[in-house]
Amino acid sequence: MDPSDKQQEPGKGSVDGNSRRKFLVNSGYALGGLVVGGALGSLIKKKPAAEPAPPKTDEGTAAEPKNYNRALMFFTQEQFRIVESATERIFPEDEAGPGAKSLGVAFFIDHQLAGDWGFNGRDYMSPPFFTGEMTQGYQGRLKRREIFEIGLRELENYSMTKFQDSFVALTGEQQDELLKGFESDEVKLTTISASSFFRMLRSSTLEGAYSDPLYGGNMDMNGWKMRGYPGNQMSYLSIIEKDFTKLDPSSLQDHLVSH
């Protein structure tokens, strides 16, 4: 038998559990709490601290927690408002569900342009550069973030020229007219292709509406809910043999395990 399996009588080498715990706690206090936060701290059972109550509004109800993911990383305030208005015309709110603005699509685009995608981090960007076919996509030296800056500036200039007002101040029909001018290349730009910019804006809008909320768009998975899309499910094993089953959508965040 292992000597450690033997029970010792009190007073003959045994240490009372409560005394040991008291000793560790007191040692931690004596060392300014440094020990408790380390390896020895895991031996001490503490009561979990109560979570702070959510702040109250003037009406006495709990306030909604702030979403700190809703912040600009690349766009200026003016650029953001133009993108928000333009994407709402591309993906408008209707009886089927929310539009681009409610889904946070402009934040999605902003965050993408601030990262690897905006810098064309995975693209071959060395010369020589040639004008490619329409099916080949962009073949130039400008990064996506630069294309967006130019495209938004030209969209605003076109708005001032055609309607003598800022794009965000126009009616929906007027905004549609300007966007169609870009889509059809009716607008002639010297630095970039108007239609290429519009296609990039449109594809980014759809990606923001249907990507995982992790990336800033698809607020509360409402884009997925409109489509009945289940999102990021870990497994379909429990329903794969059943008839069609409607699932609540799941985000990557839902797979986090609390420790």
Side-chain angles (χ1 to χ4, degrees), residues 23-240:
F23 167 76
L24 291 173
V25 172
N26 292 337
S27 300
Y29 290 149
L31 296 175
L34 294 178
V35 173
V36 177
L40 291 178
S42 62
L43 301 175
I44 304 171
K45 292 183 179 178
K46 293 183 179 180
K47 255 187 190 177
E51 293 186 3
K56 300 287 185 178
T57 63
D58 294 339
E59 291 77 17
T61 58
E64 285 287 331
K66 291 182 178 179
N67 186 344
Y68 291 99
N69 196 36
R70 293 294 183 263
L72 298 183
M73 301 170 67
F74 174 71
F75 288 139
T76 64
Q77 296 283 344
E78 181 184 11
Q79 289 171 333
F80 176 79
R81 287 191 290 270
I82 295 172
V83 172
E84 195 173 51
S85 298
T87 55
E88 181 68 18
R89 299 311 301 169
I90 294 171
F91 196 95
E93 181 171 349
D94 57 19
E95 63 279 358
K101 184 175 181 178
S102 298
L103 292 172
V105 165
F107 286 108
F108 166 84
I109 297 175
D110 170 77
H111 294 182
Q112 292 299 305
L113 290 173
D116 210 35
W117 187 77
F119 282 100
N120 292 65
R122 299 185 181 184
D123 298 345
Y124 183 80
M125 297 291 291
S126 297
F129 299 104
F130 298 99
T131 302
E133 300 295 330
M134 293 294 291
T135 54
Q136 290 180 301
Y138 179 65
Q139 301 286 310
R141 68 179 71 247
L142 294 175
K143 298 179 176 63
R144 292 186 183 94
R145 53 182 14 224
E146 295 170 328
I147 294 174
F148 259 87
E149 285 184 321
I150 295 170
L152 294 175
R153 183 170 63 247
E154 294 293 353
L155 182 60
E156 183 71 355
N157 290 340
Y158 186 44
S159 176
M160 295 299 297
T161 300
K162 195 170 182 67
F163 295 111
Q164 295 76 53
D165 209 344
S166 173
F167 182 83
V168 298
L170 302 180
T171 65
E173 290 74 16
Q174 290 172 327
Q175 290 175 344
D176 289 347
E177 184 177 340
L178 298 184
L179 291 172
K180 288 176 181 176
F182 268 67
E183 182 183 20
S184 63
D185 268 327
E186 176 188 324
V187 183
K188 303 302 180 184
L189 306 180
T190 56
T191 313
I192 62 173
S193 160
S195 61
S196 293
F197 168 68
F198 177 82
R199 286 196 300 272
M200 188 179 296
L201 178 63
R202 182 181 182 278
S203 63
S204 299
T205 299
L206 297 178
E207 289 168 10
Y210 296 124
S211 64
D212 194 283
L214 163 71
Y215 301 103
N218 191 13
M219 173 76 88
D220 296 328
M221 299 184 283
N222 285 327
W224 289 347
K225 291 173 184 176
M226 280 192 292
R227 294 288 185 176
Y229 178 64
N232 194 294
Q233 300 287 333
M234 290 292 285
S235 171
Y236 296 92
L237 187 62
S238 61
I239 62 168
I240 197 168

